[in-house]
Amino acid sequence: MPNSDDYDSPWKDILTLHFRQFMLFFFPDLALRIDWDRGYESLDKELRQITREAEAGGRLADKLFKVWKENGEEAWVLAHVEIQAQRKKDFPRRMFVYNYRIFDLYERPVVSLAVLADESQGWRPCVYSHQLWGSRMALRFRMVKLLDHKENQ
């Protein structure tokens, strides 16, 4: 059985080389807010730091990018492609952990984006939250499913 790197590496390569096209296809509204003339930068070192710091069973988010918004401000984008054939119960929590670790280590807000490749039409996680005694922590993240693009083939 192939290990997760066998599936992750091609996606990471695609994201690195074709990030603009990825954004235009899956998140076109966000792609319009990016100044593509300034390019983008892959933040592999920063991503390795947060995944090492947030180690939880060998899970790896795919790519972290620095982009520039139309107004010239810097923004960070965490693109996570989940290549699983089944639902992952802890997936929303993992999105939360990576998001807050980036903020904690680098004091940068980050937009978290997920692309899910499972075959379950009904599984569409887009939020993680926990609460205790009136205190609540939550992350709502953007998510798309490859299933939604089947008819575009």
Side-chain angles (χ1 to χ4, degrees):
M1 176 144 221
N3 67 35
S4 65
D5 280 346
D6 294 338
Y7 295 115
D8 290 349
S9 293
W11 279 100
K12 289 178 184 183
D13 293 344
I14 290 168
L15 283 169
T16 300
L17 297 172
H18 304 288
F19 181 59
R20 180 178 184 175
Q21 292 84 353
F22 167 84
M23 291 295 292
L24 285 167
F25 185 79
F26 289 114
F27 303 98
D29 60 319
L30 299 181
L32 293 174
R33 298 177 179 182
I34 295 172
D35 181 356
W36 294 106
D37 290 336
R38 293 196 59 186
Y40 57 89
E41 180 183 337
S42 180
L43 302 173
D44 292 335
K45 181 183 78 155
E46 290 82 356
L47 182 59
R48 276 193 303 276
Q49 182 66 29
I50 69 117
T51 56
R52 183 170 43 251
E53 294 290 330
E55 190 63 42
R59 302 175 306 206
L60 293 175
D62 278 345
K63 294 297 287 186
L64 180 63
F65 294 99
K66 178 180 8 178
V67 298
W68 285 264
K69 299 189 291 186
E70 290 178 314
N71 67 3
E73 292 178 8
E74 183 181 306
W76 285 20
V77 178
L78 176 65
H80 185 103
V81 181
E82 186 75 3
I83 309 299
Q84 248 90 2
Q86 71 278 353
R87 299 178 188 196
K88 288 288 208 169
K89 191 172 95 171
D90 69 336
F91 177 73
R93 180 185 173 280
R94 187 166 68 234
M95 293 294 289
F96 171 79
V97 168
Y98 290 148
N99 187 288
Y100 88 72
R101 288 304 296 150
I102 291 168
F103 185 79
D104 183 39
L105 285 174
Y106 302 108
E107 296 184 13
R108 304 243 183 216
V110 63
V111 61
S112 294
L113 308 174
V115 177
L116 303 179
D118 65 280
E119 293 291 326
S120 176
Q121 191 62 255
W123 188 62
R124 295 178 176 272
C126 62
V127 68
Y128 171 81
S129 69
H130 61 262
Q131 59 186 350
L132 178 64
W133 300 335
S135 179
R136 183 172 190 224
M137 179 68 75
L139 170 69
R140 180 170 302 279
F141 53 92
R142 299 282 302 266
M143 179 276 307
V144 296
K145 297 218 34 155
L146 293 181
L147 278 178
D148 296 339
H149 298 282
K150 252 187 172 174
E151 64 272 357
N152 293 339
Q153 296 179 6

